[in-house]
Amino acid sequence: MISEAVIEALKSFVSENNIHLQEPMAGHTTFRIGGPADCLLELENEEQLKKVQKYLTLVGERFFILGNGSNLLVCDHGYSGIILQIGQNMSQIRVEGRRIIAQAGALLSQVAKTAMEHGLSGLEFAAGIPGTVGGGVVMNAGAYDGELSQVVTQVKVVSCQGESLEFDNSTMEFGYRTSALRKNSFTVTEVTFELQEGDREKIQEKMQELAEKRRSKQPLEYPSAGSVFKRPQGYFAGKLVMDAGMRGYQTGGARVSDKHCGFIINVGKATAQDVLDVICEVQERVKLRFGVDLETEIIYLE
């Protein structure tokens, strides 16, 4: 539990209206799963982020940076610590020639739409990714042969000590669903994308084409965290799961999607434990049949 002294100190950094105690995390994840966090702070700007992170680090309080909660599974008993939410209050997007500069809380889908409206190509693949810019850059989000590493040129971050730092593309150490930020305690505040001039109608057509692919192949009608497993080298995770006979496998309210076996969906009141049980069974079956270790892509928070 968070002490009264810490709560009072946080009130000096953040408006009391933006401090939520025992906040159910099910309302903050696309899985719609998760127990209460001791405290959730809605941050309004970078200065608040700097001060709060520095203070929490100094007093040794656990904290977790939350964007749109699209790649996250929160355990049933919740999170013992403080959630720092970077969302709508830090979501400005501006266009400077072929560059788009977006704050960390902006949705990737909105940045892609902005690019299209200005006739800028390169982010079409990101139009259907449900995450924020900050979370997307940390994990080098991608889809349909596109990755953020292909278009990101600069990333501004804040350290746990409240210092502002900058990374360029080469120092981000981008890899498959990873970056230097997954290994270090930095919080993204702003990202610069370098795009190419293109035909607005063609860009829009490409986005619509990819959107139709998603609707036809992904279970968008159910709460989920997107693809659960990373793509093993030389394989497709969803096909391995399907070929292992796990399509439609269900425990409680968690089910391997019939439409796309790389997704685990919440078909109704699923618990985090239900999801973990399904993940474990899938991993065991795939390992037994194909000798392949499936690594999870989603973050488990407890």
Side-chain angles (χ1 to χ4, degrees):
M1 294 293 291
I2 307 299
S3 71
E4 286 295 328
V6 170
I7 298 299
E8 287 303 311
L10 291 174
K11 290 178 183 178
S12 67
F13 304 128
V14 180
S15 167
E16 191 169 350
N17 292 333
N18 290 338
I19 301 175
H20 309 280
L21 302 179
Q22 292 300 303
E23 179 70 10
M25 291 302 294
H28 297 279
T29 70
T30 58
F31 241 144
R32 297 294 177 254
I33 294 172
D38 287 346
C39 179
L40 183 145
L41 301 185
E42 295 179 70
L43 297 174
E44 296 178 19
N45 52 57
E46 184 176 334
E47 284 307 307
Q48 282 188 355
L49 172 65
K50 288 180 177 179
K51 291 176 182 178
V52 170
Q53 280 201 163
K54 185 175 181 179
Y55 169 73
L56 294 178
T57 300
L58 182 66
V59 299
E61 285 286 351
R62 291 180 77 206
F63 64 89
F64 179 82
I65 306 298
L66 176 72
N68 197 42
S70 59
N71 197 45
L72 184 66
L73 177 64
V74 181
C75 72
D76 296 316
H77 61 70
Y79 177 66
S80 180
I82 298 174
I83 300 290
L84 305 183
Q85 186 171 42
I86 297 178
Q88 291 184 347
N89 294 325
M90 297 175 66
S91 61
Q92 292 183 356
I93 302 169
R94 66 183 191 274
V95 181
E96 297 179 357
R98 293 191 294 112
R99 296 189 306 161
I100 291 184
I101 298 95
Q103 289 186 305
L107 292 173
L108 283 168
S109 57
Q110 190 60 47
V111 179
K113 181 181 178 183
T114 300
M116 179 272 293
E117 291 171 344
H118 286 78
L120 296 174
S121 177
L123 273 172
E124 291 88 337
F125 72 89
I129 297 176
T132 57
V133 166
V137 166
V138 170
M139 68 170 291
N140 189 20
Y144 298 109
D145 299 321
E147 289 183 336
L148 293 185
S149 60
Q150 298 165 354
V151 289
V152 169
T153 58
Q154 185 182 65
V155 180
K156 293 184 178 181
V157 303
V158 169
S159 73
C160 287
Q161 289 72 39
E163 301 168 316
S164 294
L165 302 166
E166 291 183 10
F167 289 81
D168 62 20
N169 188 285
S170 64
T171 54
M172 278 292 292
E173 299 176 15
F174 283 121
Y176 175 65
R177 299 299 175 264
T178 190
S179 73
L181 303 185
R182 291 205 87 158
K183 311 161 194 170
N184 298 284
S185 299
F186 297 122
T187 303
V188 178
T189 58
E190 185 181 272
V191 175
T192 299
F193 302 90
E194 186 79 27
L195 304 175
Q196 301 297 319
E197 293 181 0
D199 181 271
R200 176 175 171 172
E201 289 187 4
K202 289 183 179 179
I203 295 168
Q204 189 172 27
E205 285 175 8
K206 182 65 174 179
M207 289 169 62
Q208 290 173 343
E209 176 190 331
L210 294 180
E212 180 54 39
K213 281 187 178 181
R214 286 188 177 89
R215 282 191 293 270
S216 65
K217 295 182 179 181
Q218 297 179 9
L220 303 181
E221 64 273 28
Y222 291 100
S224 79
S227 297
V228 172
F229 304 104
K230 293 181 180 180
R231 185 178 66 241
Q233 190 170 1
Y235 299 91
F236 291 101
K239 189 173 190 312
L240 286 172
V241 177
M242 180 178 67
D243 291 347
M246 297 300 287
R247 169 180 273 166
Y249 178 84
Q250 184 169 336
T251 296
R255 178 183 178 92
V256 175
S257 169
D258 297 83
K259 186 182 284 188
H260 189 314
C261 292
F263 283 62
I264 294 175
I265 55 177
N266 179 358
V267 295
K269 298 183 179 179
T271 65
Q273 191 58 53
D274 291 341
V275 176
L276 292 176
D277 288 345
V278 172
I279 288 174
C280 184
E281 187 65 25
V282 166
Q283 288 173 322
E284 288 183 3
R285 297 266 191 102
V286 169
K287 176 68 172 178
L288 182 64
R289 178 150 184 192
F290 303 107
V292 177
D293 292 307
L294 284 182
E295 183 182 352
T296 54
E297 182 175 306
I298 60 175
I299 296 169
Y300 181 58
L301 189 64
E302 59 180 336

